[in-house]
Amino acid sequence: MNLMLFGAPGAGKGTQAKFLIEKYNIPQISTGDILRAAIADKTDMGMEAKKFMDEGKLVPDSTIIGIIKDRLAESDCKDGFILDGFPRTLPQAESLNELMSDMGISLDRVISLNVPDELIVGRITGRRVCPKCGASLHVEFNPSKEEKVCDYCGGELIIRKDDNAETVKSRLEAYHAQTAPLIDFYTNMNVFTELDGTKDVSEVTKDMIESLS
Ligand code: AP5
Ligand code: MG
Ligand code: ZN
């Protein structure tokens, strides 16, 4: 199953990806997580990307497309994958189509988690993430059992560098200007499914699994 999770920053893509990994036993490919790992490793690519991410701007397409090309070629993707946070621009979506067609595969479904901008700020400023396993919790809406400790792997929960009210504004702007046009792109491909992302985490998971079966 080749899936994509689509939605604004903070819509719940990372949160829901965790359930799909378990259900379908396929990897999550989050370009945001890959970029943050490159920053932690202080690679040239990471250092270049960091400038954009800290300002809430999109990293250039050429960098992102290179990352995805390498990642999809890895053996754990052979039975499918969950794209999270990619593609985010029309050129990225077009490159993905070309890449997948070269690989002889196609996208089964794009699941869009709809959450209005007014709710996004609270979600992002209360988020706590686990750098070890990528879990995404929330102080109020999805609290960890133990404060600052990841429920999944025991790692220490931290606040992401770009999770502040100022950066959220530019991330939302980037989403509306550059990413939202993909709704038409994937609707035309007949793979686009919209879900109400404002429901509780478990209800969104239920709707998502139902829409895939
Ligand atoms: P990325 O890491 O992808 O960030 P994002 O798109 O801004 O998305 P988030 O990770 O913030 O949100 P999410 O939808 O995963 O929400 P989550 O599940 O965590 O990208 C970061 C940066 O990298 C970008 O700004 C850009 O610079 C760069 N980048 C990455 N990919 C790129 C690309 N393809 N092209 C160019 N640049 C790229 O949930 C959010 C919070 O809400 C959590 O606290 C969670 O617990 C809570 N929550 C989740 N679901 C619910 C619910 N149903 N009810 C209540 N709370 C909930
Ligand atoms: Mg995420
Ligand atoms: Zn963890």
Side-chain angles (χ1 to χ4, degrees), residues 7-13 15 115 119-120 123-124 127 160 171-172 197:
K13 304 180 292 292
T15 303
V115 178
L119 291 183
I120 294 291
R123 283 200 183 185
I124 290 214
R127 171 162 57 187
R160 243 169 68 177
R171 282 160 66 192
L172 279 170

Side-chain angles (χ1 to χ4, degrees), residues 1-6 13 16-27 79-83 106-113 190-195 203-213:
M1 181 105 82
N2 304 319
L3 303 173
M4 181 197 307
L5 288 170
F6 182 87
K13 304 180 292 292
Q16 297 302 334
K18 287 268 174 231
F19 300 104
L20 293 176
I21 297 172
E22 278 188 27
K23 169 112 180 121
Y24 296 108
N25 202 19
I26 50 177
D79 295 328
F81 45 80
I82 308 147
L83 296 170
S106 57
L107 208 51
D108 294 301
R109 178 89 42 207
V110 175
I111 294 181
S112 172
L113 305 174
N190 276 322
V191 289
F192 196 74
T193 300
E194 284 187 273
L195 298 181
E203 282 180 68
V204 177
T205 308
K206 207 173 127 253
D207 291 349
M208 184 177 64
I209 301 288
E210 229 171 69
S211 80
L212 287 171
S213 56

Side-chain angles (χ1 to χ4, degrees), residues 105-156:
I105 55 176
S106 57
L107 208 51
D108 294 301
R109 178 89 42 207
V110 175
I111 294 181
S112 172
L113 305 174
N114 288 357
V115 178
D117 286 8
E118 309 85 84
L119 291 183
I120 294 291
V121 179
R123 283 200 183 185
I124 290 214
T125 48
R127 171 162 57 187
R128 298 294 180 270
V129 297
C130 174
K132 242 169 96 184
C133 76
S136 182
L137 298 157
H138 192 283
V139 285
E140 190 184 339
F141 308 137
N142 194 12
S144 55
K145 292 191 185 83
E146 214 179 309
E147 211 190 324
K148 290 192 191 157
V149 181
C150 174
D151 285 349
Y152 298 91
C153 77
E156 190 196 352

Side-chain angles (χ1 to χ4, degrees), residues 43 63 67-68 78 91 99-100 118 163 175 212:
T43 67
T63 308
I67 289 176
I68 287 292
K78 67 178 191 328
L99 190 61
M100 289 183 80
E118 309 85 84
D163 278 354
Y175 170 76
L212 287 171

Side-chain angles (χ1 to χ4, degrees), residues 60-118:
D61 288 336
S62 55
T63 308
I64 300 291
I65 293 162
I67 289 176
I68 287 292
K69 206 169 172 190
D70 292 346
R71 185 62 187 89
L72 290 187
E74 285 180 41
S75 61
D76 64 337
C77 293
K78 67 178 191 328
D79 295 328
F81 45 80
I82 308 147
L83 296 170
D84 162 5
F86 172 88
R88 272 167 133 103
T89 64
L90 275 171
Q92 289 181 21
E94 280 156 1
S95 299
L96 176 68
N97 274 1
E98 265 173 47
L99 190 61
M100 289 183 80
S101 135
D102 289 348
M103 294 168 77
I105 55 176
S106 57
L107 208 51
D108 294 301
R109 178 89 42 207
V110 175
I111 294 181
S112 172
L113 305 174
N114 288 357
V115 178
D117 286 8
E118 309 85 84

